């Protein structure tokens, strides 16, 4: 058997006609930059997430950079975040000359451990940046409590968690600013790069809209130093179709996850843990196992693709070495990065495929 990891092919087949019509429509109109599809998408994102303002942009990475710029993060400022995530999370902090300050993760959820945040707050701390890893929201209430006490901003990296809820509220609607990514393999993916920033604050929303178009206030008048970070109209057209089906896709992902949990329980593995007050967008179904590398090879030989999210925690990445962290600083992140492995996850993993995977595991 040969199994597909994200199965973008099948995801495309499901909505192919609608998507091709939507994209052709943009090509006929030639409204490639900031066409009406962008506005339609932003209003739909606001409706779906119950957040006041959604601002689309070129990628999840752009969304992080825009969020930090809107929050006025300056060189020397510190942002507290997790080392167990994709590089963008702290890369964009560093790009602005600010400093990522890491704290270790919770051993069960793999998200930032709020109990460890207060210890690293300094006079330079400006924001806390939790990541909703694999699709599960971080412990936002605890994080917000600390942020209020020290007057810090909370910026949520929801690149993997679009549609996930914390206490019944979409994670895009929590914190001062939240971001997501529409990278093709994310739960809501477009056909290239894409992202969005969310906020309930009108002034931040205005600033974000301006920053993504070179900081302009009106055409050729520039209030801020900004970016060229717009979403393409063609990507918005794809997303308009996919968002209209998204809740259904998300329910299918949740079903796949619970079927995985059923067939895999009782084996010598640590399965994903979802906190009581959360649900997940299931960007990944990631399991922990002791002899991971050996098993990964064996699965590969049998046609089962897997992925390691992530093999090197950020404090041990070469580009972050200037921060001066060393091995042993964040032991939970280090252990998990040695044991974690994601198995095929998409809305269409069949029972047959799942049994095949479970038998080999
Ligand atoms: C994917 C991802 C990003 C970056 O999103 P892109 O759209 O690929 O730029 C940022 N943070 C996390 C946690 C991600 O998984």
């Amino acid at each position: 058997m040969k199994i597909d990891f994200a199965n973008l092919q099948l995801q495309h087949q499901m909505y192919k006609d609608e998507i091709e019509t939507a994209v052709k429509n943009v090509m006929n109109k030639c409204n490639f930059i900031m066409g009406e599809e962008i506005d339609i998408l932003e209003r739909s994102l606001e409706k779906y997430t119950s957040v006041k303002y959604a601002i689309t942009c070129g990628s999840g990475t752009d969304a992080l950079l825009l969020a930090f710029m809107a929050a006025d993060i300056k060189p020397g400022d510190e942002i507290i975040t997790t080392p167990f995530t994709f590089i963008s999370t702290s890369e964009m902090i560093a790009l602005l000359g600010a400093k990522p300050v890491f704290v270790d993760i919770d051993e069960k959820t793999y998200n930032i451990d709020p109990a460890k945040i207060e210890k690293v707050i300094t006079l330079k701390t400006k924001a806390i940046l939790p990541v909703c890893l694999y699709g599960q929201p971080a412990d936002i209430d605890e994080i917000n409590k600390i942020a209020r006490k020290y007057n810090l901003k909370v910026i949520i990296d929801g690149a993997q968690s679009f549609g996930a809820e914390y206490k019944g509220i979409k994670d895009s609607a929590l914190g001062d600013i939240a971001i997501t990514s529409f990278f093709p393999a994310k739960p809501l993916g477009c056909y290239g790069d894409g992202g969005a920033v969310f906020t309930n604050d009108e002034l931040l929303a205005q600033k974000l809209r301006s920053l993504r178009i070179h900081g302009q206030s009106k055409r050729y008048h520039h209030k801020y130093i900004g970016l060229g970070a717009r979403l393409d109209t063609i990507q918005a057209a794809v997303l308009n179709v996919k968002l209209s089906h998204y809740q259904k896709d998300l329910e299918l992902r949740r079903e796949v996850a619970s079927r995985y949990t059923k067939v895999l329980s009782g084996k010598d593995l640590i399965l994903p843990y979802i906190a009581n007050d959360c649900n997940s967008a299931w960007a990944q179904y990631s399991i922990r196992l002791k002899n991971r590398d050996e098993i990964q090879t064996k699965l590969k030989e049998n046609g089962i693709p897997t992925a390691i999210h992530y093999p090197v925690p950020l404090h041990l990445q070469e580009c972050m070495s200037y921060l001066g962290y060393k091995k042993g600083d964040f032991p939970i992140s280090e252990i998990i990065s040695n044991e974690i492995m994601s198995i095929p996850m998409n809305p269409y993993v069949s029972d047959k495929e799942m049994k095949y995977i479970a038998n080999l595991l």
Side-chain angles (χ1 to χ4, degrees):
M1 200 183 295
K2 182 116 187 62
I3 296 176
D4 196 297
F5 193 84
N7 216 342
L8 295 182
Q9 281 290 345
L10 185 51
Q11 291 199 57
H12 174 60
Q13 291 308 317
M14 297 302 289
Y15 310 124
K16 184 169 177 279
D17 293 345
E18 270 182 273
I19 289 171
E20 285 180 359
T21 305
V23 169
K24 263 191 205 141
N25 193 17
V26 173
M27 292 198 279
N28 286 330
K29 288 189 287 189
C30 295
N31 59 347
F32 303 117
I33 301 292
M34 297 306 281
E36 62 187 327
E37 286 76 5
I38 297 279
D39 191 55
I40 293 168
L41 175 61
E42 291 180 345
R43 302 299 79 75
S44 310
L45 289 169
E46 287 160 3
K47 192 158 169 240
Y48 181 79
T49 57
S50 300
V51 77
K52 273 200 191 138
Y53 309 102
I55 297 98
T56 57
C57 61
S59 67
T61 305
D62 279 351
L64 283 165
L65 188 55
L66 287 166
F68 300 149
M69 288 166 78
D72 223 12
I73 301 301
K74 293 268 188 298
D77 290 347
E78 295 177 359
I79 299 185
I80 297 171
T81 189
T82 162
F84 193 59
T85 172
F86 182 59
I87 186 71
S88 298
T89 310
S90 59
E91 185 184 25
M92 291 304 108
I93 302 173
L95 192 67
L96 285 173
K99 185 178 171 191
V101 174
F102 297 122
V103 305
D104 213 352
I105 53 172
D106 177 87
E107 194 173 352
K108 278 155 73 185
T109 64
Y110 313 140
N111 282 327
I112 192 167
D113 184 349
K116 293 174 184 150
I117 291 176
E118 248 179 305
K119 271 184 285 214
V120 299
I121 293 176
T122 72
L123 290 172
K124 291 181 179 163
T125 308
K126 289 285 152 59
I128 306 172
L129 174 64
V131 176
C132 306
L133 201 74
Y134 307 147
Q136 170 167 221
D139 194 353
I140 310 285
D141 275 359
E142 286 306 307
I143 293 165
N144 279 339
K145 250 185 245 163
I146 300 165
R148 269 195 294 272
K149 187 167 160 195
Y150 294 91
N151 196 24
L152 307 173
K153 288 243 167 1
V154 174
I155 301 171
I156 298 172
D157 182 344
Q160 303 182 3
S161 59
F162 185 75
E165 289 161 322
Y166 178 83
K167 301 187 178 170
I169 300 170
K170 296 276 192 304
D171 74 343
S172 311
L174 300 164
D176 296 287
I177 308 178
I179 71 101
T180 198
S181 162
F182 303 126
F183 182 81
K186 306 279 162 142
L188 177 60
C190 61
Y191 287 12
D193 279 307
V197 190
F198 302 89
T199 184
N200 284 315
D201 182 317
E202 193 185 344
L203 290 176
L204 280 175
Q206 277 172 10
K207 194 170 174 190
L208 286 160
R209 270 189 221 109
S210 166
L211 285 169
R212 82 172 154 184
I213 311 185
H214 306 288
Q216 74 175 25
S217 45
K218 59 182 185 197
R219 198 158 203 192
Y220 304 131
H221 292 71
H222 303 274
K223 181 170 178 180
Y224 311 105
I225 300 290
L227 302 168
R230 295 162 296 226
L231 181 71
D232 291 335
T233 309
I234 285 181
Q235 299 303 343
V238 172
L239 285 165
N240 282 328
V241 174
K242 290 192 74 181
L243 181 57
S244 73
H245 299 288
Y246 186 60
Q247 197 53 36
K248 198 169 55 198
D249 285 352
L250 195 53
E251 294 310 328
L252 287 174
R253 277 181 185 274
R254 288 177 178 149
E255 273 171 38
V256 167
S258 68
R259 277 157 51 220
Y260 261 140
T261 298
K262 235 180 248 150
V263 298
L264 295 178
S265 58
K267 294 185 189 290
D268 192 18
L269 307 163
I270 299 178
L271 300 180
Y273 166 86
I274 303 298
N276 273 336
D277 41 16
C278 286
N279 60 26
S280 177
W282 294 103
Q284 305 298 344
Y285 191 94
S286 306
I287 58 180
R288 273 174 71 187
L289 52 186
K290 284 279 185 292
N291 44 348
R292 179 192 64 196
D293 296 351
E294 189 188 316
I295 292 178
Q296 188 178 33
T297 308
K298 189 171 164 206
L299 292 179
K300 192 176 172 201
E301 287 164 4
N302 286 279
I304 303 170
T306 55
I308 311 298
H309 303 105
Y310 295 91
V312 182
L314 301 191
H315 68 288
L316 301 177
Q317 293 284 354
E318 196 177 339
C319 65
M320 293 287 159
S321 62
Y322 73 98
L323 294 171
Y325 290 110
K326 57 183 189 312
K327 208 167 177 170
D329 282 347
F330 305 104
I332 300 173
S333 298
E334 290 169 27
I335 291 168
I336 309 293
S337 66
N338 285 326
E339 297 181 355
I340 204 79
M341 182 179 81
S342 304
I343 57 179
M345 172 46 93
N346 60 73
Y348 312 111
V349 184
S350 69
D351 276 332
K352 204 170 140 217
E353 290 174 322
M354 210 172 272
K355 276 211 189 96
Y356 179 70
I357 296 168
N359 276 338
L360 276 159
L361 280 169

